[in-house]
Amino acid sequence: MKSKIRKIQDILWEHCKRIIRAIYIKDDGTWDCFTCIRRIDEPAKAQTGHFIPSGSCGAFLRYDLRNLRIQCYNCNINLGGNGAVFYKNLVEEKGQEYVDQLFKDKQKTVKALDHYVKLVSEYEKM
């Protein structure tokens, strides 16, 4: 049986994937991998990758849309997120201050369940 926090995380991750796919979809219904620019033409092949990896970003950034982009399977899974290219592309897209803020926010601590419930509420409206 899943714990309450695990259920919330599952719901939250589904919202994150939906929102990120909607933000980055192209007019022709495809996506470009954020790191290698490979064309992704099927929704099931569009991975949602973390800039600061989920295992080290903490509860505050794990489901933060600023930390997520569309990636192909190769970059997200086989290359472990393709971090160096992700960093370079994120700086080009949003600027160094944006990336620096993500690293600062990585240090924030929150009560995970409360934070996740708040995010679910926000993301349901999007």
Side-chain angles (χ1 to χ4, degrees):
M1 187 168 140
K2 287 187 180 180
S3 69
K4 183 175 183 177
I5 196 165
R6 185 70 237 167
K7 288 178 186 176
I8 294 288
Q9 287 176 306
D10 289 347
I11 292 166
L12 195 48
W13 188 240
E14 289 304 314
H15 283 307
C16 287
K17 292 188 298 185
R18 172 185 55 82
I19 294 166
I20 291 298
R21 284 184 176 106
I23 290 171
Y24 293 101
I25 195 165
K26 299 171 82 60
D27 289 340
D28 65 358
T30 64
W31 298 267
D32 289 336
C33 174
F34 187 70
T35 45
C36 76
I37 317 301
R38 179 178 295 151
R39 180 65 47 103
I40 304 167
D41 58 5
E42 296 176 36
K45 293 181 179 179
Q47 299 266 314
T48 304
H50 290 79
F51 167 57
I52 299 175
S54 61
S56 64
C57 67
F60 187 77
L61 283 181
R62 185 164 289 127
Y63 303 101
D64 190 315
L65 301 176
R66 299 172 303 153
N67 192 40
L68 303 171
R69 295 294 185 278
I70 295 291
Q71 288 189 295
C72 67
Y73 181 88
N74 186 58
C75 287
N76 192 35
I77 303 300
N78 295 338
L79 299 178
N82 204 355
V85 177
F86 206 132
Y87 180 94
K88 178 185 79 68
N89 291 351
L90 200 55
V91 169
E92 287 176 8
E93 178 189 83
K94 296 290 189 176
Q96 187 64 52
E97 287 181 22
Y98 181 94
V99 174
D100 292 345
Q101 187 62 52
L102 284 174
F103 283 116
K104 287 177 189 171
D105 288 348
K106 178 183 175 191
Q107 306 306 315
K108 290 184 179 181
T109 57
V110 293
K111 189 171 180 182
L113 182 59
D114 293 345
H115 182 63
Y116 295 161
V117 168
K118 180 181 146 228
L119 286 178
V120 166
S121 178
E122 287 177 22
Y123 292 173
E124 282 176 344
K125 297 173 188 171
M126 297 175 88

